């Protein structure tokens, strides 16, 4: 096993928990026998399995003729050919007829507690049609791209669904990203329109957003129009020929039916940018029929979503989790999805629990970093609220450490609720490995078993399936409907990133092992991608931001273990010949990265260095840098290829001086 792999640090967790809901007859997957039967059926004949699933879950305008055409060597993947449908129709219109018209589709809890908006399916339909009419009237057509750079306000899912309605491809950019990041993404997808807001409300502060949009648009000639939601009532600079307030665009006449565009199964639904180990973020492309089938199927099986449930996923719609598990999955199933604008710790660390009590939340889906942060605040905060409505708990974004898992179970899960630890990626479109709440015995720290229809395995460096308990690369051997269909306008990168190292398989980029029971233990990324608070950051991106600063000659960025965030960003920086190391410069570099990429990318630690550990061929030895950052004094592995072994000692001394 290659030394690069973090999977050496295997967990030795032995505990097994039988969830209290085990054997619930009314669950979608009632017990382990049902799971095993489903899984077997899906592996024996994946095509009929998925064909049946999509017919059960979606309303197709024209039924698909074939389930799947694929060839990973090109790569090309086509699901449900010949079928036509519309995603917004499936998430809205059909629920007007099936008894859910007056059911809450979206419950929005704004940051101030009194800011609550509830949209029934009828109301959401009306708002989506209205905004779809706005987009159409402004010349947006099927196949055009629309960028959405918005806070967690209802207008964001409304705009997403409005795009879906008229066949426009949305590209949501997380509102925490900087103007430069927004600019890069808009330039790459050539958006025609940008939808944004005056400001973001966050932890009691009003953070202007429109100036970032203006800065980005200065170099985005494709964007001719910008629609601005007034979230905070700020008096912002509006360019009359380009900008229009959302409320001014939405005249009464817009609130009429807007006929949904008929889309082919493989027409793109959205693009979402994600970090990779090299270059700029890549535009992951998801298509209509397969993605929607997969989002709906996984929401139903993993969360056991039922008609009366209040379901809350705490992610931001700027990430894939928000796309699949706030918007498309739950709404496609006719569920009630709660959307929250604020942060877990404001005004106090019981904010999440207070919301659970207020709305009687039944299903709660969050990230390990949130659990760890709230754990630190003390258990008293959880005791202030009645959490008895909860039925299923979920986790996503990184491996959940057993300590956090147990705390989640004890203090949020009344000591008995099922915790579904869900492994997946932006590229997979939906959950791939997870327990089923009424079926799967749980092991803290393991995402447990693959979902029906998912042929996932662990292979060694040569692509051979690894024996139990041996770490290796996580791969998927067959297509699943939710998988990405490409990297926007970059087929070479699509092939190179996911299908080149192990021919005939999709390479996830994660390291994992399977135990004797077949349970998956995901250890984390094997490439130069780090996971900070469940968010993916490419080290190459941060490095290129750092070296763009005039004082910096060279930079190397690694992840450093962090109690709450999982990993934090540690940067080694070599300054230009005439530059002086100083605290001010350190601060300046942090601010610089925030501006170049966004606050989530700002290095927590910056160590000024004279030299980096490089091989004789000039390649930076990142595993050495990771170990130095982590404070590990030995176990450097083979350093015989290092050009100058003395560098390690210098860097260790530098770290000691700094911390
Ligand atoms: C990591 C987020 C372990 C993993 C949905 C993956 C996880 C990356 C888990 C994708 C989990 C996500 N256990 N690791 N339950 N969930 N990851 O694209 O390294 O933002 O490759 O998608 O997060 O991050 P992304």
């Amino acid at each position: 096993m290659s030394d690069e792999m973090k999977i050496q640090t295997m967990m030795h967790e032995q505990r097994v928990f039988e969830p209290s809901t085990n054997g619930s007859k009314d669950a979608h997957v009632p017990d382990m026998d049902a799971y095993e039967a489903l899984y077997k059926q899906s592996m024996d004949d994946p095509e009929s399995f998925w064909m049946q699933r999509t017919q059960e879950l979606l309303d197709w305008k024209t039924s698909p003729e074939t389930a799947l055409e694929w060839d990973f060597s090109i790569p090309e993947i086509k699901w449900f050919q010949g079928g036509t449908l519309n995603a917004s129709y499936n998430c809205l219109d059909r629920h007007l007829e099936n008894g859910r018209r007056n059911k809450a589709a979206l419950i929005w809890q704004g940051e101030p507690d009194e800011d609550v908006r509830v949209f029934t399916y009828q109301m959401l339909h009306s708002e989506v049609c209205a905004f779809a009419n706005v987009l159409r009237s402004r010349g947006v057509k099927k196949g055009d791209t629309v960028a959405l750079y918005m806070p967690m306000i209802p207008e964001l899912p409304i705009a997403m669904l409005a795009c879906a309605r008229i066949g426009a491809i949305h590209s949501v950019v997380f509102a925490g990203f900087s103007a430069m990041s927004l600019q890069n993404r808009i330039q790459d997808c050539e958006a025609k329109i940008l939808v944004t807001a005056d400001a973001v409300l966050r932890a009691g502060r009003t953070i202007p957003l429109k100036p970032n949009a203006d800065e980005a648009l200065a170099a985005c000639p494709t964007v001719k129009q910008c629609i601005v939601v007034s979230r905070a009532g700020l008096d912002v600079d509006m360019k009359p020929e380009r900008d229009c307030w959302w409320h001014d665009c939405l005249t009464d006449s817009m609130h009429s039916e807007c006929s949904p565009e008929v889309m082919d199964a493989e027409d793109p639904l959205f693009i979402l940018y994600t970090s990779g180990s090299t270059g700029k973020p890549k535009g992951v492309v998801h298509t209509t029929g397969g993605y929607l089938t997969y989002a709906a199927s996984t929401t139903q099986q993993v969360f056991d979503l039922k008609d009366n449930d209040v379901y809350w996923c705490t992610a931001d719609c700027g990430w894939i989790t928000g796309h699949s598990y706030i918007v498309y999955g739950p709404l496609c199933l006719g569920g009630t999805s709660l959307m929250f604008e604020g942060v877990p710790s404001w005004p106090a660390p019981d904010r999440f629990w207070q919301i659970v009590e207020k709305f009687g939340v039944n299903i709660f889906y969050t990230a390990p970093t949130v659990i760890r942060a709230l754990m630190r605040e003390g258990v008293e905060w959880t005791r202030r609220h009645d959490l008895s409505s909860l039925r299923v708990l979920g986790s996503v974004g990184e491996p959940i450490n057993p300590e956090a898992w147990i705390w989640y179970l004890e203090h949020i899960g009344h000591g008995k609720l099922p915790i579904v630890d869900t492994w997946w990626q932006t590229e997979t479109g939906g959950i791939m490995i997870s327990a089923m709440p009424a079926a799967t015995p749980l092991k803290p720290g393991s995402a447990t078993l693959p979902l029906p229809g998912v042929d996932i395995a662990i292979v060694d460096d040569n692509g051979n399936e690894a024996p139990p308990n041996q770490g290796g690369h996580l791969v998927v051997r067959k297509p699943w409907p939710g998988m990405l269909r490409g990297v926007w306008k970059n087929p070479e990168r699509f092939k190179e990133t996911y299908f080149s190292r192990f021919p005939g398989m999709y390479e996830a980029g994660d390291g994992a092992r399977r135990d004797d029971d077949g349970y998956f233990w995901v250890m984390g990324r094997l490439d130069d991608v780090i996971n900070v608070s469940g968010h993916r950051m490419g080290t190459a991106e941060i490095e290129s931001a750092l070296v763009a600063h005039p004082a910096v000659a060279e930079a190397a960025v690694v992840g450093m273990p962090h109690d709450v965030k999982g990993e934090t960003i540690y940067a080694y920086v070599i300054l230009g010949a005439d530059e002086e190391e100083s605290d001010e410069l350190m601060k300046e570099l942090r601010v610089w990265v925030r501006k170049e990429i966004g606050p989530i990318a700002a290095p927590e630690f910056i160590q000024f260095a004279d030299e980096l550990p490089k091989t004789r061929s000039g390649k930076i030895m990142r595993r050495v840098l990771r170990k130095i950052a982590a404070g590990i004094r030995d176990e450097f592995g083979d350093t015989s290829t290092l050009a100058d072994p003395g560098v390690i000692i210098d860097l260790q001394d530098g770290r000691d001086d700094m911390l």
Side-chain angles (χ1 to χ4, degrees):
M1 186 80 342
S2 83
D3 197 22
E4 285 294 308
M5 298 198 160
K6 294 176 196 162
I7 45 190
Q8 302 294 5
T9 53
M10 287 178 184
M11 288 190 244
H12 293 285
E13 181 60 49
Q14 300 287 341
R15 288 170 286 191
V16 179
F17 293 79
E18 293 290 336
S20 59
T21 47
N22 256 14
S24 299
K25 290 227 164 30
D26 65 340
H28 285 101
V29 180
D31 51 35
M32 211 48 190
D33 289 345
Y35 163 77
E36 275 160 7
L38 262 179
Y39 193 78
K40 184 171 182 314
Q41 182 206 340
S42 76
M43 288 298 108
D44 290 347
D45 188 354
E47 300 195 12
S48 344
F49 173 81
W50 283 115
M51 199 63 145
Q52 193 185 330
R53 242 2 235 155
T54 198
Q55 299 286 5
E56 275 165 27
L57 293 164
L58 304 191
D59 278 8
W60 289 83
K61 190 162 168 63
T62 326
S63 281
E65 284 155 19
T66 55
L68 173 65
E69 286 162 32
W70 66 293
D71 183 347
F72 277 175
S73 69
I74 299 178
E76 192 173 75
I77 303 105
K78 290 182 177 162
W79 280 96
F80 309 129
Q81 286 289 284
T84 61
L85 77 167
N86 181 282
S88 108
Y89 177 89
N90 274 277
C91 290
L92 301 167
D93 303 55
R94 63 176 177 153
H95 303 312
L96 306 184
E97 255 96 76
N98 64 15
R100 297 190 178 103
R101 191 165 77 92
N102 293 320
K103 174 178 173 177
L106 192 68
I107 300 176
W108 176 73
Q109 172 65 68
E111 180 165 279
D113 199 46
E114 61 281 11
D115 283 8
V116 174
R117 291 169 74 187
V118 180
F119 297 81
T120 62
Y121 273 95
Q122 175 76 55
M123 291 161 80
L124 193 60
H125 176 262
S126 165
E127 294 304 321
V128 168
C129 284
F131 195 64
N133 283 324
V134 169
L135 292 174
R136 259 190 191 152
S137 72
R138 288 167 179 261
V140 181
K141 291 188 292 297
K142 178 173 175 174
D144 287 341
T145 50
V146 172
L148 308 176
Y149 181 57
M150 301 166 76
M152 281 290 281
I153 52 178
E155 287 81 358
L156 175 49
I158 289 169
M160 291 163 75
L161 291 164
C163 288
R165 194 162 191 90
I166 62 168
I169 305 164
H170 59 71
S171 171
V172 183
V173 180
F174 173 56
F177 278 126
S178 68
M180 278 305 290
S181 292
L182 174 64
Q183 187 178 88
N184 290 334
R185 287 159 173 76
I186 293 178
Q187 285 173 347
D188 188 73
C189 75
E190 299 173 290
K192 213 168 177 177
I193 286 196
L194 171 68
V195 187
T196 186
D198 57 347
V200 176
L201 302 191
R202 199 180 151 81
R205 290 177 302 146
T206 301
I207 306 160
L209 193 64
K210 176 68 169 34
N212 290 3
D214 289 334
E215 202 184 322
L217 291 186
C220 295
T222 59
V223 177
K224 301 281 188 262
Q225 302 173 65
C226 175
I227 298 173
V228 188
V229 181
S230 174
R231 169 62 189 121
L234 292 192
D235 187 13
V236 305
D237 195 18
M238 298 286 275
K239 291 202 175 5
E241 70 290 358
R242 189 193 69 192
D243 302 347
C244 177
W245 288 106
W246 174 288
H247 53 265
D248 290 336
C249 303
L250 272 177
T251 56
D252 282 346
S253 65
M254 294 295 177
H255 277 91
S256 55
E257 177 55 38
C258 169
S259 61
E261 196 72 41
V262 179
M263 305 299 286
D264 284 337
E266 283 297 338
D267 280 334
L269 179 61
F270 65 85
I271 306 169
L272 187 59
Y273 285 84
T274 192
S275 297
S277 48
T278 54
K280 287 187 177 171
K282 34 184 190 272
V284 165
V285 179
H286 284 290
T287 60
T288 310
Y291 171 81
L292 199 62
T293 303
Y294 201 70
S297 175
T298 52
T299 306
Q300 188 187 59
Q301 293 179 335
V302 173
F303 301 109
D304 192 32
L305 183 66
K306 306 242 181 60
D307 243 319
N308 279 330
D309 284 327
V310 176
Y311 159 91
W312 181 19
C313 163
T314 71
D316 192 293
C317 287
W319 310 108
I320 190 69
T321 309
H323 281 61
S324 303
Y325 298 112
I326 295 176
V327 184
Y328 289 109
L331 296 182
C332 187
L333 294 175
T336 297
S337 183
L338 175 69
M339 171 179 184
F340 173 52
E341 182 184 38
V343 299
S345 53
W346 198 88
D350 62 343
R351 182 64 167 140
F352 274 13
W353 320 129
Q354 178 237 332
I355 293 173
V356 167
E357 180 172 22
K358 180 173 175 181
F359 296 100
V361 171
N362 305 104
I363 303 169
F364 176 73
Y365 188 31
T366 197
T369 184
V370 169
I371 301 298
R372 289 192 298 262
L374 295 178
M375 235 169 112
R376 286 199 156 182
E377 302 289 344
V379 45
E380 309 81 70
W381 294 104
T382 70
R383 300 210 177 108
R384 294 185 182 205
H385 301 282
D386 177 2
L387 304 179
S388 61
S389 57
L390 290 171
R391 186 164 62 81
V392 178
L393 304 178
S395 172
V396 60
E398 59 177 307
I400 178 165
N401 48 310
E403 191 197 359
W405 196 99
I406 298 287
W407 188 90
Y408 199 16
L409 176 76
E410 288 299 320
H411 300 295
I412 311 303
H414 332 131
K416 61 178 188 190
L417 293 186
I419 298 179
V420 292
D421 174 1
T422 63
W423 178 87
W424 60 295
Q425 310 177 292
T426 305
E427 293 88 338
T428 68
I431 297 163
M432 301 289 278
I433 308 177
S434 169
M436 312 263 133
T440 321
L442 306 168
K443 301 187 189 185
S446 165
T448 76
L449 299 165
L451 262 49
V454 174
D455 183 8
I456 204 157
I458 291 166
V459 297
D460 64 20
D461 288 347
N462 302 317
N464 301 316
E465 189 158 4
N469 295 312
Q470 185 178 304
H473 306 259
L474 205 57
V475 296
V476 192
R477 295 182 287 206
K478 271 196 213 78
W480 64 101
M483 79 183 295
L484 80 166
R485 301 296 197 271
V487 172
W488 186 249
K489 290 211 202 106
N490 201 339
E492 300 80 32
R493 201 164 172 204
F494 180 44
K495 181 171 185 168
E496 169 60 29
T497 311
Y498 306 105
F499 301 97
S500 60
R501 173 143 189 203
F502 303 112
M505 303 180 203
Y506 165 87
E507 182 192 3
D510 278 3
R513 76 179 166 100
R514 265 189 120 155
D515 67 16
D516 294 319
D517 299 322
Y519 277 44
F520 283 85
W521 297 79
V522 178
M523 300 306 173
R525 303 287 312 189
L526 298 175
D527 52 11
D528 293 319
V529 171
I530 51 186
N531 189 327
V532 183
S533 302
H535 298 313
R536 261 165 83 166
M537 293 300 324
T539 50
E541 253 175 283
I542 308 171
E543 285 163 8
S544 75
L546 282 168
V547 295
H549 187 281
V552 177
E554 203 177 351
V557 168
V558 296
M560 168 184 170
H562 186 278
D563 284 350
V564 174
K565 297 179 186 172
E567 275 186 299
T568 192
I569 301 169
Y570 193 110
Y572 298 88
V573 166
I574 300 182
L575 295 177
D578 305 325
E579 303 293 337
E580 289 278 331
E581 292 173 13
S582 68
D583 288 348
E584 286 68 48
L585 181 56
M586 202 182 277
K587 279 196 203 104
E588 192 180 315
L589 291 177
R590 258 189 222 117
V591 173
W592 176 267
V593 178
R594 286 174 78 95
K595 218 169 139 33
E596 288 282 306
I597 306 176
I600 50 170
E604 182 159 343
F605 298 101
I606 296 181
Q607 177 175 348
F608 292 119
D610 297 325
E611 242 184 295
L612 296 174
K614 288 189 181 158
T615 61
R616 288 192 200 98
S617 58
K619 203 169 173 292
I620 296 174
M621 286 180 104
R622 286 169 188 283
R623 69 181 158 82
V624 170
L625 289 177
R626 276 197 286 270
K627 288 195 170 144
I628 295 170
I632 296 168
R633 290 252 146 211
D634 41 23
E635 304 163 33
F636 285 103
D638 181 12
T639 50
S640 60
T641 55
L642 261 187
D644 174 9
V647 171
I648 295 182
I649 312 280
D650 292 345
L651 288 176
Q652 281 175 333
D653 291 348
R655 180 186 186 276
D656 292 347
D657 291 347
M658 185 181 75
L659 294 178

Short mmCIF file of all heavy atoms in Angstrom, two decimals, residues 274 320-321 396-399 421-426 510 522 525 531 536, ligand 1:
data_model
loop_
_atom_site.label_atom_id
_atom_site.label_comp_id
_atom_site.label_asym_id
_atom_site.label_seq_id
_atom_site.Cartn_x
_atom_site.Cartn_y
_atom_site.Cartn_z
N THR A 274 -16.56 21.97 -8.14
CA THR A 274 -15.94 21.36 -6.96
C THR A 274 -14.44 21.31 -7.15
O THR A 274 -13.94 21.30 -8.28
CB THR A 274 -16.53 19.97 -6.67
OG1 THR A 274 -16.10 19.56 -5.37
CG2 THR A 274 -16.10 18.92 -7.68
N ILE A 320 -23.46 20.39 -2.94
CA ILE A 320 -24.28 19.31 -3.51
C ILE A 320 -25.30 18.80 -2.50
O ILE A 320 -26.43 18.44 -2.86
CB ILE A 320 -23.40 18.15 -4.04
CG1 ILE A 320 -24.24 17.15 -4.86
CG2 ILE A 320 -22.70 17.43 -2.91
CD1 ILE A 320 -24.75 17.64 -6.17
N THR A 321 -24.94 18.77 -1.22
CA THR A 321 -25.88 18.26 -0.22
C THR A 321 -27.18 19.06 -0.23
O THR A 321 -28.27 18.51 -0.13
CB THR A 321 -25.23 18.26 1.18
OG1 THR A 321 -23.96 17.61 1.07
CG2 THR A 321 -26.07 17.53 2.20
N VAL A 396 -22.89 13.70 7.15
CA VAL A 396 -22.25 13.74 5.83
C VAL A 396 -21.08 14.71 5.81
O VAL A 396 -21.05 15.66 6.56
CB VAL A 396 -23.25 14.20 4.73
CG1 VAL A 396 -23.80 15.59 4.99
CG2 VAL A 396 -22.60 14.15 3.35
N GLY A 397 -20.13 14.44 4.94
CA GLY A 397 -19.07 15.40 4.65
C GLY A 397 -17.69 14.89 4.95
O GLY A 397 -16.72 15.27 4.31
N GLU A 398 -17.57 14.03 5.94
CA GLU A 398 -16.27 13.48 6.31
C GLU A 398 -16.56 12.29 7.23
O GLU A 398 -17.69 12.14 7.69
CB GLU A 398 -15.44 14.54 7.05
CG GLU A 398 -16.13 15.03 8.29
CD GLU A 398 -15.32 16.03 9.08
OE1 GLU A 398 -14.16 15.72 9.41
OE2 GLU A 398 -15.86 17.09 9.40
N PRO A 399 -15.55 11.49 7.51
CA PRO A 399 -15.80 10.39 8.44
C PRO A 399 -16.21 10.98 9.78
O PRO A 399 -15.66 12.00 10.20
CB PRO A 399 -14.44 9.70 8.55
CG PRO A 399 -13.63 10.19 7.38
CD PRO A 399 -14.16 11.54 7.04
N ASP A 421 -24.73 7.43 8.52
CA ASP A 421 -23.50 8.11 8.10
C ASP A 421 -23.42 7.89 6.59
O ASP A 421 -23.27 6.76 6.12
CB ASP A 421 -22.32 7.47 8.84
CG ASP A 421 -20.97 8.00 8.37
OD1 ASP A 421 -20.92 8.86 7.48
OD2 ASP A 421 -19.95 7.52 8.91
N THR A 422 -23.53 8.97 5.83
CA THR A 422 -23.71 8.85 4.39
C THR A 422 -22.45 9.25 3.65
O THR A 422 -22.00 10.39 3.74
CB THR A 422 -24.87 9.75 3.93
OG1 THR A 422 -24.55 11.12 4.21
CG2 THR A 422 -26.17 9.38 4.65
N TRP A 423 -21.85 8.32 2.93
CA TRP A 423 -20.68 8.65 2.12
C TRP A 423 -21.13 8.94 0.68
O TRP A 423 -21.83 8.11 0.08
CB TRP A 423 -19.65 7.51 2.09
CG TRP A 423 -18.50 7.91 1.20
CD1 TRP A 423 -17.40 8.62 1.57
CD2 TRP A 423 -18.38 7.66 -0.21
NE1 TRP A 423 -16.60 8.85 0.47
CE2 TRP A 423 -17.18 8.28 -0.64
CE3 TRP A 423 -19.18 7.02 -1.16
CZ2 TRP A 423 -16.73 8.24 -1.96
CZ3 TRP A 423 -18.75 6.99 -2.49
CH2 TRP A 423 -17.53 7.59 -2.87
N TRP A 424 -20.68 10.06 0.17
CA TRP A 424 -20.93 10.39 -1.24
C TRP A 424 -20.12 11.62 -1.62
O TRP A 424 -19.32 12.11 -0.83
CB TRP A 424 -22.42 10.54 -1.54
CG TRP A 424 -23.16 11.61 -0.77
CD1 TRP A 424 -23.38 11.65 0.58
CD2 TRP A 424 -23.80 12.75 -1.33
NE1 TRP A 424 -24.12 12.76 0.90
CE2 TRP A 424 -24.40 13.45 -0.25
CE3 TRP A 424 -23.95 13.26 -2.62
CZ2 TRP A 424 -25.12 14.64 -0.44
CZ3 TRP A 424 -24.68 14.43 -2.80
CH2 TRP A 424 -25.25 15.10 -1.72
N GLN A 425 -20.32 12.11 -2.83
CA GLN A 425 -19.52 13.22 -3.35
C GLN A 425 -20.36 14.08 -4.30
O GLN A 425 -21.38 13.62 -4.81
CB GLN A 425 -18.36 12.68 -4.19
CG GLN A 425 -17.52 11.62 -3.54
CD GLN A 425 -16.46 11.11 -4.49
OE1 GLN A 425 -16.76 10.47 -5.49
NE2 GLN A 425 -15.20 11.39 -4.17
N THR A 426 -19.87 15.26 -4.58
CA THR A 426 -20.52 16.13 -5.57
C THR A 426 -20.73 15.33 -6.86
O THR A 426 -21.78 15.40 -7.49
CB THR A 426 -19.60 17.34 -5.88
OG1 THR A 426 -19.31 18.00 -4.64
CG2 THR A 426 -20.28 18.31 -6.82
N ASP A 510 -11.01 8.59 -2.76
CA ASP A 510 -10.96 8.35 -1.32
C ASP A 510 -10.29 7.01 -1.02
O ASP A 510 -10.35 6.08 -1.82
CB ASP A 510 -12.38 8.28 -0.73
CG ASP A 510 -12.96 9.66 -0.45
OD1 ASP A 510 -12.29 10.66 -0.77
OD2 ASP A 510 -14.07 9.73 0.08
N VAL A 522 -14.45 4.64 5.51
CA VAL A 522 -13.82 5.61 4.60
C VAL A 522 -12.82 6.43 5.40
O VAL A 522 -13.13 6.92 6.49
CB VAL A 522 -14.89 6.53 3.97
CG1 VAL A 522 -14.23 7.56 3.07
CG2 VAL A 522 -15.90 5.70 3.19
N ARG A 525 -9.49 11.55 1.74
CA ARG A 525 -8.96 11.72 0.38
C ARG A 525 -7.54 11.17 0.27
O ARG A 525 -6.74 11.28 1.18
CB ARG A 525 -8.92 13.21 0.02
CG ARG A 525 -10.24 13.91 0.12
CD ARG A 525 -11.21 13.57 -0.96
NE ARG A 525 -10.66 13.63 -2.28
CZ ARG A 525 -11.40 13.52 -3.39
NH1 ARG A 525 -12.72 13.36 -3.30
NH2 ARG A 525 -10.85 13.59 -4.57
N ASN A 531 -10.22 18.45 3.43
CA ASN A 531 -11.61 18.52 3.83
C ASN A 531 -11.69 19.36 5.10
O ASN A 531 -11.40 18.91 6.19
CB ASN A 531 -12.11 17.09 4.07
CG ASN A 531 -13.60 17.04 4.28
OD1 ASN A 531 -14.21 17.96 4.82
ND2 ASN A 531 -14.20 15.95 3.85
N ARG A 536 -14.71 20.64 0.59
CA ARG A 536 -13.55 20.22 -0.19
C ARG A 536 -12.74 21.41 -0.67
O ARG A 536 -13.26 22.32 -1.27
CB ARG A 536 -14.06 19.50 -1.43
CG ARG A 536 -14.04 18.05 -1.30
CD ARG A 536 -14.86 17.46 -2.37
NE ARG A 536 -14.11 17.36 -3.62
CZ ARG A 536 -14.53 16.63 -4.65
NH1 ARG A 536 -15.67 15.99 -4.59
NH2 ARG A 536 -13.81 16.56 -5.73
C1 LIG B 1 -15.73 13.11 2.01
C2 LIG B 1 -20.12 15.99 -0.02
C3 LIG B 1 -16.29 9.88 4.97
C4 LIG B 1 -15.03 12.19 1.06
C5 LIG B 1 -21.36 15.10 -0.06
C6 LIG B 1 -15.58 12.59 -0.29
C7 LIG B 1 -16.96 11.52 3.53
C8 LIG B 1 -15.75 14.07 -0.12
C9 LIG B 1 -18.31 11.30 3.88
C10 LIG B 1 -16.82 14.63 -1.02
C11 LIG B 1 -18.59 10.30 4.88
C12 LIG B 1 -18.21 12.85 2.37
N1 LIG B 1 -17.54 9.62 5.38
N2 LIG B 1 -15.97 10.81 4.08
N3 LIG B 1 -19.82 10.05 5.30
N4 LIG B 1 -19.06 12.15 3.14
N5 LIG B 1 -16.94 12.50 2.60
O1 LIG B 1 -17.93 16.62 -3.00
O2 LIG B 1 -13.64 12.43 1.14
O3 LIG B 1 -18.23 18.13 -0.99
O4 LIG B 1 -14.71 12.29 -1.36
O5 LIG B 1 -19.53 16.02 -1.28
O6 LIG B 1 -16.11 14.25 1.25
O7 LIG B 1 -17.06 15.99 -0.75
P1 LIG B 1 -18.17 16.77 -1.55
#
